[in-house]
Structure formats: structure tokens, C-alpha cells
mmCIF file of all heavy atoms in Angstrom:
data_model
loop_
_atom_site.group_PDB
_atom_site.id
_atom_site.type_symbol
_atom_site.label_atom_id
_atom_site.label_comp_id
_atom_site.label_asym_id
_atom_site.label_seq_id
_atom_site.Cartn_x
_atom_site.Cartn_y
_atom_site.Cartn_z
ATOM 1 N N LEU A 22 6.946 -162.136 -164.868
ATOM 2 C CA LEU A 22 6.206 -162.389 -163.610
ATOM 3 C C LEU A 22 6.352 -161.260 -162.642
ATOM 4 O O LEU A 22 7.258 -160.498 -162.768
ATOM 5 C CB LEU A 22 6.817 -163.695 -162.928
ATOM 6 C CG LEU A 22 6.509 -165.086 -163.467
ATOM 7 C CD1 LEU A 22 7.294 -166.075 -162.627
ATOM 8 C CD2 LEU A 22 5.021 -165.388 -163.269
ATOM 9 N N ARG A 23 5.347 -161.112 -161.817
ATOM 10 C CA ARG A 23 5.420 -160.072 -160.777
ATOM 11 C C ARG A 23 5.277 -160.793 -159.407
ATOM 12 O O ARG A 23 4.288 -161.423 -159.131
ATOM 13 C CB ARG A 23 4.411 -158.970 -160.850
ATOM 14 C CG ARG A 23 4.584 -157.866 -159.931
ATOM 15 C CD ARG A 23 3.627 -156.734 -160.069
ATOM 16 N NE ARG A 23 2.325 -156.968 -159.427
ATOM 17 C CZ ARG A 23 1.582 -155.987 -159.053
ATOM 18 N NH1 ARG A 23 1.946 -154.749 -159.116
ATOM 19 N NH2 ARG A 23 0.381 -156.331 -158.461
ATOM 20 N N LEU A 24 6.289 -160.576 -158.569
ATOM 21 C CA LEU A 24 6.337 -161.168 -157.251
ATOM 22 C C LEU A 24 5.794 -160.042 -156.268
ATOM 23 O O LEU A 24 6.103 -158.818 -156.480
ATOM 24 C CB LEU A 24 7.658 -161.557 -156.827
ATOM 25 C CG LEU A 24 8.389 -162.624 -157.706
ATOM 26 C CD1 LEU A 24 9.726 -163.047 -157.074
ATOM 27 C CD2 LEU A 24 7.530 -163.797 -157.974
ATOM 28 N N SER A 25 5.097 -160.472 -155.247
ATOM 29 C CA SER A 25 4.581 -159.540 -154.234
ATOM 30 C C SER A 25 5.111 -160.075 -152.840
ATOM 31 O O SER A 25 5.210 -161.299 -152.641
ATOM 32 C CB SER A 25 3.057 -159.464 -154.176
ATOM 33 O OG SER A 25 2.610 -158.999 -155.462
ATOM 34 N N CYS A 26 5.286 -159.183 -151.970
ATOM 35 C CA CYS A 26 5.608 -159.498 -150.626
ATOM 36 C C CYS A 26 4.895 -158.601 -149.704
ATOM 37 O O CYS A 26 5.094 -157.392 -149.641
ATOM 38 C CB CYS A 26 7.178 -159.354 -150.317
ATOM 39 S SG CYS A 26 7.710 -159.516 -148.603
ATOM 40 N N ALA A 27 4.001 -159.151 -148.893
ATOM 41 C CA ALA A 27 3.117 -158.418 -147.973
ATOM 42 C C ALA A 27 3.739 -158.523 -146.605
ATOM 43 O O ALA A 27 4.029 -159.576 -146.094
ATOM 44 C CB ALA A 27 1.784 -159.039 -147.945
ATOM 45 N N ALA A 28 3.999 -157.362 -145.979
ATOM 46 C CA ALA A 28 4.632 -157.350 -144.724
ATOM 47 C C ALA A 28 3.618 -156.907 -143.599
ATOM 48 O O ALA A 28 2.704 -156.139 -143.851
ATOM 49 C CB ALA A 28 5.711 -156.251 -144.718
ATOM 50 N N SER A 29 3.829 -157.515 -142.415
ATOM 51 C CA SER A 29 2.994 -157.117 -141.244
ATOM 52 C C SER A 29 3.945 -157.189 -140.067
ATOM 53 O O SER A 29 4.966 -157.781 -140.004
ATOM 54 C CB SER A 29 1.837 -158.190 -141.060
ATOM 55 O OG SER A 29 2.298 -159.443 -140.940
ATOM 56 N N GLY A 30 3.500 -156.363 -139.034
ATOM 57 C CA GLY A 30 4.271 -156.341 -137.824
ATOM 58 C C GLY A 30 5.385 -155.414 -137.801
ATOM 59 O O GLY A 30 6.197 -155.350 -136.854
ATOM 60 N N ILE A 31 5.529 -154.545 -138.823
ATOM 61 C CA ILE A 31 6.567 -153.500 -138.950
ATOM 62 C C ILE A 31 5.952 -152.217 -139.367
ATOM 63 O O ILE A 31 4.859 -152.192 -139.992
ATOM 64 C CB ILE A 31 7.685 -153.971 -139.899
ATOM 65 C CG1 ILE A 31 7.171 -154.138 -141.332
ATOM 66 C CG2 ILE A 31 8.394 -155.201 -139.457
ATOM 67 C CD1 ILE A 31 8.207 -154.290 -142.351
ATOM 68 N N ILE A 32 6.713 -151.164 -139.093
ATOM 69 C CA ILE A 32 6.331 -149.885 -139.714
ATOM 70 C C ILE A 32 6.939 -149.860 -141.093
ATOM 71 O O ILE A 32 8.074 -149.409 -141.317
ATOM 72 C CB ILE A 32 6.857 -148.662 -138.856
ATOM 73 C CG1 ILE A 32 6.367 -148.881 -137.380
ATOM 74 C CG2 ILE A 32 6.452 -147.380 -139.466
ATOM 75 C CD1 ILE A 32 6.978 -147.876 -136.424
ATOM 76 N N PHE A 33 6.190 -150.366 -142.020
ATOM 77 C CA PHE A 33 6.661 -150.700 -143.356
ATOM 78 C C PHE A 33 7.365 -149.560 -143.991
ATOM 79 O O PHE A 33 8.428 -149.686 -144.670
ATOM 80 C CB PHE A 33 5.534 -151.156 -144.206
ATOM 81 C CG PHE A 33 5.970 -151.606 -145.595
ATOM 82 C CD1 PHE A 33 6.469 -152.863 -145.792
ATOM 83 C CD2 PHE A 33 5.660 -150.759 -146.686
ATOM 84 C CE1 PHE A 33 6.885 -153.265 -147.099
ATOM 85 C CE2 PHE A 33 6.033 -151.110 -147.970
ATOM 86 C CZ PHE A 33 6.639 -152.401 -148.210
ATOM 87 N N SER A 34 6.774 -148.385 -143.841
ATOM 88 C CA SER A 34 7.256 -147.185 -144.671
ATOM 89 C C SER A 34 8.688 -146.849 -144.317
ATOM 90 O O SER A 34 9.370 -146.135 -145.170
ATOM 91 C CB SER A 34 6.407 -146.003 -144.448
ATOM 92 O OG SER A 34 6.360 -145.643 -143.113
ATOM 93 N N ILE A 35 9.247 -147.175 -143.116
ATOM 94 C CA ILE A 35 10.508 -146.762 -142.791
ATOM 95 C C ILE A 35 11.611 -147.821 -142.934
ATOM 96 O O ILE A 35 12.747 -147.557 -142.701
ATOM 97 C CB ILE A 35 10.628 -146.257 -141.278
ATOM 98 C CG1 ILE A 35 10.450 -147.434 -140.338
ATOM 99 C CG2 ILE A 35 9.602 -145.192 -141.029
ATOM 100 C CD1 ILE A 35 10.678 -147.101 -138.856
ATOM 101 N N ASN A 36 11.200 -148.946 -143.474
ATOM 102 C CA ASN A 36 12.148 -150.095 -143.674
ATOM 103 C C ASN A 36 12.583 -150.285 -145.111
ATOM 104 O O ASN A 36 11.681 -150.146 -145.951
ATOM 105 C CB ASN A 36 11.550 -151.386 -143.173
ATOM 106 C CG ASN A 36 11.500 -151.438 -141.664
ATOM 107 O OD1 ASN A 36 10.521 -151.149 -141.008
ATOM 108 N ND2 ASN A 36 12.597 -151.854 -141.057
ATOM 109 N N SER A 37 13.821 -150.548 -145.334
ATOM 110 C CA SER A 37 14.297 -150.977 -146.611
ATOM 111 C C SER A 37 13.790 -152.408 -146.826
ATOM 112 O O SER A 37 13.690 -153.204 -145.853
ATOM 113 C CB SER A 37 15.883 -150.922 -146.715
ATOM 114 O OG SER A 37 16.355 -149.655 -146.636
ATOM 115 N N MET A 38 13.462 -152.739 -148.077
ATOM 116 C CA MET A 38 13.012 -154.094 -148.377
ATOM 117 C C MET A 38 13.789 -154.562 -149.447
ATOM 118 O O MET A 38 14.282 -153.857 -150.426
ATOM 119 C CB MET A 38 11.483 -154.001 -148.805
ATOM 120 C CG MET A 38 10.571 -153.470 -147.760
ATOM 121 S SD MET A 38 10.407 -154.502 -146.256
ATOM 122 C CE MET A 38 9.793 -156.011 -146.934
ATOM 123 N N ALA A 39 14.019 -155.975 -149.545
ATOM 124 C CA ALA A 39 14.891 -156.495 -150.550
ATOM 125 C C ALA A 39 14.295 -157.811 -151.038
ATOM 126 O O ALA A 39 13.527 -158.526 -150.361
ATOM 127 C CB ALA A 39 16.292 -156.695 -150.023
ATOM 128 N N TRP A 40 14.742 -158.204 -152.190
ATOM 129 C CA TRP A 40 14.485 -159.545 -152.747
ATOM 130 C C TRP A 40 15.746 -160.288 -152.932
ATOM 131 O O TRP A 40 16.776 -159.620 -153.555
ATOM 132 C CB TRP A 40 13.766 -159.480 -154.112
ATOM 133 C CG TRP A 40 12.310 -159.012 -154.077
ATOM 134 C CD1 TRP A 40 11.819 -157.777 -154.199
ATOM 135 C CD2 TRP A 40 11.206 -159.864 -153.773
ATOM 136 N NE1 TRP A 40 10.452 -157.790 -154.073
ATOM 137 C CE2 TRP A 40 10.133 -159.101 -153.765
ATOM 138 C CE3 TRP A 40 11.074 -161.273 -153.569
ATOM 139 C CZ2 TRP A 40 8.754 -159.632 -153.636
ATOM 140 C CZ3 TRP A 40 9.770 -161.757 -153.365
ATOM 141 C CH2 TRP A 40 8.690 -160.976 -153.325
ATOM 142 N N TYR A 41 15.856 -161.429 -152.501
ATOM 143 C CA TYR A 41 16.989 -162.339 -152.746
ATOM 144 C C TYR A 41 16.481 -163.554 -153.473
ATOM 145 O O TYR A 41 15.306 -163.836 -153.518
ATOM 146 C CB TYR A 41 17.570 -162.838 -151.374
ATOM 147 C CG TYR A 41 18.366 -161.873 -150.593
ATOM 148 C CD1 TYR A 41 17.805 -160.732 -149.948
ATOM 149 C CD2 TYR A 41 19.754 -161.983 -150.504
ATOM 150 C CE1 TYR A 41 18.531 -159.840 -149.216
ATOM 151 C CE2 TYR A 41 20.557 -161.144 -149.776
ATOM 152 C CZ TYR A 41 19.947 -160.039 -149.209
ATOM 153 O OH TYR A 41 20.778 -159.109 -148.452
ATOM 154 N N ARG A 42 17.439 -164.315 -154.028
ATOM 155 C CA ARG A 42 17.141 -165.562 -154.654
ATOM 156 C C ARG A 42 18.182 -166.594 -154.407
ATOM 157 O O ARG A 42 19.361 -166.205 -154.130
ATOM 158 C CB ARG A 42 16.949 -165.370 -156.214
ATOM 159 C CG ARG A 42 18.189 -165.058 -156.994
ATOM 160 C CD ARG A 42 17.758 -164.815 -158.445
ATOM 161 N NE ARG A 42 18.931 -164.469 -159.269
ATOM 162 C CZ ARG A 42 18.850 -164.077 -160.529
ATOM 163 N NH1 ARG A 42 17.756 -163.906 -161.112
ATOM 164 N NH2 ARG A 42 19.939 -163.763 -161.192
ATOM 165 N N GLN A 43 17.755 -167.858 -154.442
ATOM 166 C CA GLN A 43 18.697 -168.935 -154.284
ATOM 167 C C GLN A 43 18.348 -170.105 -155.207
ATOM 168 O O GLN A 43 17.269 -170.682 -155.161
ATOM 169 C CB GLN A 43 18.642 -169.433 -152.827
ATOM 170 C CG GLN A 43 19.711 -170.423 -152.517
ATOM 171 C CD GLN A 43 19.905 -170.746 -151.059
ATOM 172 O OE1 GLN A 43 18.940 -170.478 -150.246
ATOM 173 N NE2 GLN A 43 20.980 -171.275 -150.576
ATOM 174 N N ALA A 44 19.311 -170.386 -156.067
ATOM 175 C CA ALA A 44 19.156 -171.514 -157.047
ATOM 176 C C ALA A 44 19.737 -172.768 -156.409
ATOM 177 O O ALA A 44 20.621 -172.669 -155.513
ATOM 178 C CB ALA A 44 19.859 -171.137 -158.321
ATOM 179 N N PRO A 45 19.328 -173.940 -156.809
ATOM 180 C CA PRO A 45 19.898 -175.108 -156.252
ATOM 181 C C PRO A 45 21.386 -175.201 -156.321
ATOM 182 O O PRO A 45 21.971 -174.954 -157.384
ATOM 183 C CB PRO A 45 19.217 -176.221 -157.072
ATOM 184 C CG PRO A 45 17.979 -175.647 -157.568
ATOM 185 C CD PRO A 45 18.319 -174.185 -157.768
ATOM 186 N N GLY A 46 22.036 -175.464 -155.235
ATOM 187 C CA GLY A 46 23.492 -175.646 -155.240
ATOM 188 C C GLY A 46 24.247 -174.344 -155.187
ATOM 189 O O GLY A 46 25.452 -174.307 -155.238
ATOM 190 N N LYS A 47 23.531 -173.253 -155.029
ATOM 191 C CA LYS A 47 24.158 -171.929 -155.104
ATOM 192 C C LYS A 47 23.854 -171.166 -153.836
ATOM 193 O O LYS A 47 22.852 -171.488 -153.116
ATOM 194 C CB LYS A 47 23.752 -171.082 -156.315
ATOM 195 C CG LYS A 47 24.148 -171.689 -157.654
ATOM 196 C CD LYS A 47 23.916 -170.731 -158.769
ATOM 197 C CE LYS A 47 24.464 -171.274 -160.094
ATOM 198 N NZ LYS A 47 24.197 -170.310 -161.257
ATOM 199 N N GLU A 48 24.604 -170.089 -153.516
ATOM 200 C CA GLU A 48 24.397 -169.347 -152.373
ATOM 201 C C GLU A 48 23.190 -168.312 -152.608
ATOM 202 O O GLU A 48 22.922 -167.939 -153.833
ATOM 203 C CB GLU A 48 25.635 -168.479 -151.987
ATOM 204 C CG GLU A 48 26.762 -169.380 -151.445
ATOM 205 C CD GLU A 48 27.928 -168.612 -150.917
ATOM 206 O OE1 GLU A 48 27.898 -167.339 -151.033
ATOM 207 O OE2 GLU A 48 28.817 -169.190 -150.370
ATOM 208 N N ARG A 49 22.541 -167.877 -151.598
ATOM 209 C CA ARG A 49 21.597 -166.859 -151.784
ATOM 210 C C ARG A 49 22.215 -165.601 -152.149
ATOM 211 O O ARG A 49 23.192 -165.190 -151.587
ATOM 212 C CB ARG A 49 20.771 -166.715 -150.411
ATOM 213 C CG ARG A 49 19.452 -165.960 -150.452
ATOM 214 C CD ARG A 49 18.725 -166.083 -149.232
ATOM 215 N NE ARG A 49 18.240 -167.462 -149.045
ATOM 216 C CZ ARG A 49 17.258 -167.713 -148.054
ATOM 217 N NH1 ARG A 49 16.760 -166.780 -147.286
ATOM 218 N NH2 ARG A 49 16.906 -168.968 -147.904
ATOM 219 N N GLU A 50 21.568 -164.874 -153.063
ATOM 220 C CA GLU A 50 22.157 -163.631 -153.619
ATOM 221 C C GLU A 50 21.085 -162.548 -153.580
ATOM 222 O O GLU A 50 19.885 -162.775 -153.754
ATOM 223 C CB GLU A 50 22.693 -163.815 -154.996
ATOM 224 C CG GLU A 50 21.655 -164.145 -156.032
ATOM 225 C CD GLU A 50 22.267 -164.202 -157.453
ATOM 226 O OE1 GLU A 50 23.375 -163.764 -157.730
ATOM 227 O OE2 GLU A 50 21.469 -164.599 -158.384
ATOM 228 N N LEU A 51 21.574 -161.326 -153.361
ATOM 229 C CA LEU A 51 20.773 -160.184 -153.447
ATOM 230 C C LEU A 51 20.359 -159.812 -154.873
ATOM 231 O O LEU A 51 21.224 -159.727 -155.739
ATOM 232 C CB LEU A 51 21.444 -158.948 -152.808
ATOM 233 C CG LEU A 51 20.672 -157.607 -152.810
ATOM 234 C CD1 LEU A 51 19.429 -157.661 -152.062
ATOM 235 C CD2 LEU A 51 21.603 -156.541 -152.263
ATOM 236 N N VAL A 52 19.079 -159.673 -155.162
ATOM 237 C CA VAL A 52 18.564 -159.353 -156.470
ATOM 238 C C VAL A 52 18.283 -157.880 -156.595
ATOM 239 O O VAL A 52 18.773 -157.219 -157.508
ATOM 240 C CB VAL A 52 17.303 -160.195 -156.787
ATOM 241 C CG1 VAL A 52 16.764 -159.774 -158.145
ATOM 242 C CG2 VAL A 52 17.629 -161.690 -156.745
ATOM 243 N N ALA A 53 17.486 -157.346 -155.624
ATOM 244 C CA ALA A 53 17.150 -155.940 -155.646
ATOM 245 C C ALA A 53 16.809 -155.382 -154.266
ATOM 246 O O ALA A 53 16.371 -156.224 -153.448
ATOM 247 C CB ALA A 53 15.995 -155.705 -156.592
ATOM 248 N N LEU A 54 16.950 -154.108 -154.144
ATOM 249 C CA LEU A 54 16.634 -153.547 -152.812
ATOM 250 C C LEU A 54 16.024 -152.184 -153.044
ATOM 251 O O LEU A 54 16.375 -151.494 -153.995
ATOM 252 C CB LEU A 54 17.927 -153.394 -151.980
ATOM 253 C CG LEU A 54 17.836 -152.759 -150.630
ATOM 254 C CD1 LEU A 54 18.841 -153.420 -149.588
ATOM 255 C CD2 LEU A 54 18.112 -151.220 -150.654
ATOM 256 N N ILE A 55 15.069 -151.792 -152.169
ATOM 257 C CA ILE A 55 14.508 -150.466 -152.195
ATOM 258 C C ILE A 55 14.466 -149.957 -150.850
ATOM 259 O O ILE A 55 14.041 -150.549 -149.868
ATOM 260 C CB ILE A 55 13.047 -150.507 -152.849
ATOM 261 C CG1 ILE A 55 12.498 -149.117 -152.972
ATOM 262 C CG2 ILE A 55 12.114 -151.449 -152.088
ATOM 263 C CD1 ILE A 55 11.295 -149.061 -153.919
ATOM 264 N N THR A 56 14.973 -148.618 -150.657
ATOM 265 C CA THR A 56 15.031 -148.003 -149.348
ATOM 266 C C THR A 56 13.646 -147.340 -149.065
ATOM 267 O O THR A 56 12.747 -147.312 -149.853
ATOM 268 C CB THR A 56 16.111 -146.966 -149.329
ATOM 269 O OG1 THR A 56 15.752 -145.902 -150.235
ATOM 270 C CG2 THR A 56 17.482 -147.563 -149.793
ATOM 271 N N SER A 57 13.626 -146.867 -147.837
ATOM 272 C CA SER A 57 12.434 -146.111 -147.484
ATOM 273 C C SER A 57 12.230 -144.854 -148.261
ATOM 274 O O SER A 57 11.069 -144.372 -148.524
ATOM 275 C CB SER A 57 12.462 -145.770 -145.951
ATOM 276 O OG SER A 57 13.588 -144.908 -145.741
ATOM 277 N N GLY A 58 13.302 -144.303 -148.794
ATOM 278 C CA GLY A 58 13.252 -143.161 -149.666
ATOM 279 C C GLY A 58 13.074 -143.488 -151.080
ATOM 280 O O GLY A 58 13.230 -142.711 -152.014
#
């Protein structure tokens, strides 16, 4: 699968972006992150 996240209201290019996930009964966890660089 490919997930997409469209951002608005920010200067997107200078922000790090991340994906988290949360399964039932579990804490939210960081899956992946990408920096502005």
C-alpha cells in the first residue's frame, strides 16, 4: 500500500514529516520520519 499525506498551512519544504501508527490497545509509535534535507 502507499499512504499519502497532503499538508497545507505550512512551509512544507522546511518541515520534517513523520508517520506514526497505533494498533488497538497499543501506544502510538513512530514508523518513519523524513527531514527537510
